[in-house]
Amino acid sequence: MEIHQRGLEAFAELGYEAVSVRQLNARLGMGHTFIHDRYGTKEAFWRAVMECAIRDATDEVVEALAREQPVDDLALLITGVRAFHQAAARRPHLSRVIDYEAGRDSSRLAYLYTPMSPLHDMGRPASDRLAQEGTLRDIPWYLFHFAVTKPMAMYSQVPLARMFGRTDDADDHTLMSTLVLNGLLADNRPTEAGAPE
């Protein structure tokens, strides 16, 4: 929904605390009472925006898994990580909001954890089995999470990435996924795709 996308961009660029309802209504191109009339509060609007953005990203990962039909846990892990990186590359504003909120112990962070749980629930059993069989490094789940998600900063910190030479049309999520996966695998064996698609 275009309204939710505009809201996501506003929260990513200005931050939850800094953006006012008046600014949000203006960014949405709506009347000055739109958020109040439709959502009640800024926080209710923020929640609707985040639910929509996370659902879209999750749906993209689920669709990739359904399309690829991984035959085992390793294929599931590789397909899932690559699909997640592709989804994040297309949604830099979502990554920025999550980065912003992840550094604050707040009700908004607690709220974000719930819609993100399905991806964790999907990947954790496979990663646990792969660790038990020695294919994946036996690391705590939080390390797995941050190893997979923190490279998304390349997509959310666009001005800094440009300074380092990344072009706006760079198609490098497959290479990033390969680097991440190679670090997670116990024997560092290549996971294919050594270059961007």
Side-chain angles (χ1 to χ4, degrees):
M1 177 184 261
E2 189 177 342
I3 287 172
H4 289 157
Q5 180 59 34
R6 286 188 200 162
L8 181 65
E9 291 168 9
F11 286 123
E13 291 165 17
L14 302 172
Y16 179 85
E17 286 87 3
V19 69
S20 68
V21 172
R22 178 184 217 168
Q23 288 172 306
L24 285 169
N25 284 325
R27 293 280 295 258
L28 299 176
M30 299 296 192
H32 67 281
T33 63
F34 174 76
I35 289 176
H36 175 71
D37 293 345
R38 179 99 179 257
Y39 297 92
T41 65
K42 178 171 77 168
E43 183 161 351
F45 177 63
W46 179 89
R47 287 180 179 218
V49 164
M50 296 310 294
E51 278 180 24
C52 181
I54 292 171
R55 183 181 57 247
D56 287 349
T58 300
D59 288 350
E60 185 173 331
V61 174
V62 169
E63 287 169 16
L65 291 169
R67 186 175 56 252
E68 298 293 325
Q69 297 184 351
V71 295
D72 58 22
D73 286 337
L74 183 57
L76 174 73
L77 178 74
I78 292 169
T79 302
V81 168
R82 287 200 171 136
F84 174 76
H85 283 186
Q86 289 171 346
R90 283 190 265 282
R91 294 167 180 82
H93 292 98
L94 175 59
S95 295
R96 285 179 67 187
V97 172
I98 291 173
D99 279 350
Y100 177 84
E101 296 298 340
R104 290 153 184 79
D105 192 3
S106 69
S107 62
R108 290 188 309 278
L109 177 59
Y111 180 80
L112 281 176
Y113 188 79
T114 300
M116 294 189 310
S117 293
L119 287 180
H120 284 267
D121 295 345
M122 198 181 316
R124 190 167 186 173
S127 69
D128 288 347
R129 288 189 296 270
L130 288 166
Q132 288 172 357
E133 70 183 37
T135 302
L136 196 66
R137 292 181 192 275
D138 189 9
I139 60 175
W141 180 248
Y142 72 88
L143 286 177
F144 180 93
H145 168 81
F146 285 108
V148 171
T149 62
K150 286 323 288 176
M152 301 306 91
M154 182 171 70
Y155 309 122
S156 63
Q157 297 173 8
V158 174
L160 180 60
R162 281 188 198 123
M163 288 180 179
F164 280 106
R166 183 177 190 267
T167 61
D168 290 343
D169 62 349
D171 187 11
D172 46 21
H173 54 267
T174 299
L175 179 55
M176 178 58 77
S177 299
T178 299
L179 294 171
V180 168
L181 288 162
N182 285 344
L184 291 170
L185 293 173
D187 62 3
N188 275 337
R189 64 182 160 208
T191 57
E192 304 171 10
E197 292 177 337

